[in-house]
Amino acid sequence: MLRILVIEDDPEAASYLVKGLTELGHTADQAADGQTGLQMSLDSDYDILIVDRMLPRLDGLSVIQQLRDEGNHTPVLILSALGQVDDRVKGLKAGGDDYLPKPYAFTELQARVEALARRPKSASQVETTYTVGDLTLDRMAHSCRRGETEIPLQPREFRLLEYLMQNAGQVVTRTMLLENVWEYHFDPQTNVIDVHISRLRGKIDKGFATPLLHTIRGAGYTIRDAAH
Amino acid sequence: MTRLTRFTRTTAFKLSLLYVGVFTVMSGFLVVYVAENTDHLMSEQVVQSVDSELKGLADVYVRGGVRDLVETIDRRSRHPDASLYLLTDFAGNALVGNIARLPTVVLEEADGGLRRVRYTRLGQNTEDIERQAMVRTFELRGGFRLLVGRDLGDQLKFSNLLANALRLWLVVIVLMGAITWFFVNSRVMKRIDDISATSRTIMHGDLTGRLSVAGNNDEFDRLAINLNTMLERIELLMQSMKDVTDNIAHDLKTPLTRLQTRIEIALRDAKGEEGYRDALEATLDETDHLLRIFNALLRIARIESMAPGTVMEPTDLNKMVAEIAELYEPLVEDEGGRLETEVPAGLYAECNKDLISQVLVNLTENALKYGRPIEGDLVIRMSARLEDDRVQLSVSDNGAGIPEKDQDRVKERFVRLEESRSEPGTGLGLSLVKAVARLHGGELRFKNETPGLSARIDLKPAEPDGSGSGNGQDGKTGEKRS
């Protein structure tokens, strides 16, 4: 369960967000302007902030900047109608951790919020190995094993699996993969990510009794142990 | 506005008026200056000759008495262009001289200095004509008074000449003013009137109108040519705007209508939760498609409104192409094709990495969709090379190509050739490529190869670290900003 603060001035958009997040089992508060939002986020200890860019009284980027100046490092997801690459860059430079352009699919928001929550807080917390079921990824040795079998991976396949395992059990969308694994910020019209996933699946799941890599229809992918 | 005020408000009229005014003042000044100076010079001469003659005659009187004086005066006054003389006795009776009539006051004031008088000359057939002269009277011993003067006829004649010249000059100036007016009005103003008349018809909506070009390459021709180029551009923009509207009407209405129909059918026919779920999922797919179109449109508009030269940096093309190839290779292979790259190491271009990556993606996806050969395997080749001081970046396939007549059309928004309507897509991919190419100061060009199609854009080459061509680049960016 996460404590989430939604700083959004449009009441309908805000209540839709709060309702959706509450249904997922999180606690969500709402602030209708930048000033209130900044105060609330400084006063209480939230796990995630969802910040709209265009806010009355204090705009979203200033809220983030002041928050960071105060030494607060709560992960921030920027939610904005301004979705161009340079807008994203501006948002991330101001101290945002992720950027989701409006309109968005709720599954996409959910996936990103959960990915943010799982993000290691500091370098010392970064794990060197990830394990899901009998699949192990060693970041130091750059190796991957499933059970007793050594699985050879191309560098990009390694990055892809690494990102999926970092977010094990969570849904990861195609856009998130394109942004985080390939660092591209545009929509390809074809299923180019699906092909990479299916190749990866061929390597880590083929010939094993339980599949670990799952497709979530209409959302993206997740890697999880069937036993859980 | 009356006809007269309309006439006086023309630039031609004002110019001519100004011309006449300035020249009148200037020539008036010149004439007055010349007249003053010559008058002064001539008066000086008269004074000198009158004084020296008076002195000579006074000497004659001192040496030879009144008899000699009378004789000398009598002799001198017989010369045709003689001075004026008059000698009177103490009673004021004239003893000798060549003056018939004179204001009496002149003789009474002996040595009253030089003065201008009107007089009538004696012994000529023009006795009745009053003339002007400068005279001086001198009193001799014994009550005799001697008057000597010079006729001013020459001086007056000269003044008349100058006055006549001035009058003639004014006529010439007015005439020239009229000619200027006529020329300016008929040649210059007429062309300006032509231009404003044509622009009025264009303003009324006829964008096909063009200004006439006389062909003598003067300012008006250059103005007309520039305005015509501008009009062509505007016409093109208006046309493409119309195309976009038409295409939005078609390409956005279609999915919107489909959406509406699906919702209506679901509300009417769907059985149970499963039916609604299916309908909603289909609706979501449709809205995704719509959003993708809107995002693409916004992105293109955004790129088109950017100033050329913004957000550019030297980019390693070899690395960029390799990354895109790596992303797309599995997909191409799955489709039974082959992806090849050919970029020399160390080739850098001044570009926006994100936009050019998207260009490569769009062109590659197009090649995947439409570049399949009838026989054999699809081969997509991404290449970059330096050619004529520009970096040529191209994506080619070995498919059927695009017919020459359609090569420009496919770059327009929403244009999709009939054969490709069944494929998924927005019809905006190439519009985006075109916009990015223009932002980078180049063009999107197609070339039909044998076999296949090659789509290429050209970029400005750059030095790897940006320092080698630093100065040149700074200069360029400066120019672009201004």
Side-chain angles (χ1 to χ4, degrees), chain B residues 170-181:
Chain B
L170 278 178
V171 171
V172 168
I173 285 169
V174 171
L175 215 65
M176 283 182 72
I179 291 170
T180 313
W181 170 78

Side-chain angles (χ1 to χ4, degrees), chain A residues 84-87 103 156 178 182-193 195-196 198-199 217, chain B residues 281 291-292 298-299 302 320 323-324 326-328 330-331 333-334 354 357-358 361 365 369 425-426:
Chain A
Q84 295 300 326
V85 175
D86 36 336
D87 295 324
R156 192 70 68 174
L178 199 66
W182 280 273
E183 287 165 18
Y184 289 133
H185 294 273
F186 45 76
D187 283 335
Q189 298 193 1
T190 45
N191 52 345
V192 62
I193 298 295
V195 176
H196 284 271
S198 87
R199 294 215 161 187
R217 201 178 162 223
Chain B
E281 271 170 8
L291 277 176
R292 198 171 297 140
L298 286 176
R299 189 125 203 247
R302 174 86 171 223
M320 185 168 72
E323 279 173 3
I324 298 287
E326 191 226 61
L327 178 64
Y328 272 87
L331 185 61
E333 279 174 13
D334 276 15
D354 205 75
S357 298
Q358 169 123 51
V361 163
E365 293 198 343
K369 278 189 223 161
T426 56

